[in-house]
Amino acid sequence: MPLAPNPHAMAMLIRKLESIASLSDEQRQAIERLPLRTHTLAARQDIVRDGDKPGHCCLILDGWACRYKLLGDGRRQIFSFHIPGDVPDLQSLHIHTMDHSLATMTKATVALIPHESLHELTLRHPDLGTLFWRETLIDAAIFREWMVGLGRRSAFEHMAHLFCELYLTLQAVGLAENYRCRLPIAQLDLGDALGLTSVHVNRVLRDMRGRALITLRSQTLVIEAWEELVRIAQFDPTYLNLERRAAA
Amino acid sequence: MTLRLQPVQVATGSSDTESLLVFSGEFLVAVLVRLSEIHGDRAGMWFLEAGFGPVEHTDSPIFADLDEAQSWVERRLESRR
């Protein structure tokens, strides 16, 4: 497939960036002119691997992805989940060798944007460079919350915190409303993200359902008691730096 | 090495309660919990709820039956001798 601008695809990136900042018309047009190549991928397929030196960044247009690292014996830690509009490997623009992998979780469509074009964009529009920097800083803030979850929160609090986070990030790009969203994450993946076995994930999910906090059925998450979930998770959305917030 | 099993109920906060304490000599080395019906096709299998010393494992395995569980615990204990 040829390298060409695709304003429809870039609308996803613009929507994401507008969830954390305001963009001028000129900035929006500059992003729309970025050349890209789209690919459709199967579920559970690597997009970039640990050790790779990619020449492009990957914008997710459809489907879900995750970043992860594998240990020698096959144990896996998932660091983050990604949704349409995310550029999970934005750091590869300045850190050339991947220190982890990025893979699809569902069937997905992605747009690959050459580093060269992104560098040129940030040189011509320094404010967009600052905005990409801000985006990676928010990414780091999310990692800090995950670190607290992995190290100090109980399994129940940790999962509650993740559900609050995912709901607000999905809502910010228009992919969730009325405390309901699609959540195509297998229990195995949830366990690898939370550092829990699939047995513990199953127990906690049942406990949450039993307390009428959430339901998770047919890959749809419904948060039945948002305020109670927020209280249990000690969830403070400040770290997400979202311009648009859920009505609490 | 002979392992000794002692039935016990464990408060896992779920319907997984039927459990066994696993002793090696005088030492408690593991707690196995029988998975209940909430685990679908894994119901009836044994889960390493807790392991101590060489039996500790960050990615707790699930065993089809008690023989498999005991063999695994024995191997872990022998590997650290």
Side-chain angles (χ1 to χ4, degrees), chain A residues 198-218:
Chain A
S198 56
V199 168
H200 284 103
V201 169
N202 195 19
R203 285 180 189 161
V204 173
L205 284 173
R206 286 193 171 254
D207 198 5
M208 282 188 175
R209 268 198 295 263
R211 295 198 211 176
L213 291 169
I214 62 137
T215 53
L216 179 56
R217 204 174 297 132
S218 310

Side-chain angles (χ1 to χ4, degrees), chain B residues 39-60:
Chain B
H39 298 286
D41 55 8
R42 295 186 302 183
M45 293 187 179
W46 293 85
F47 175 64
L48 182 77
E49 189 72 36
F52 304 100
V55 186
E56 187 184 358
H57 201 277
T58 56
D59 196 10
S60 292

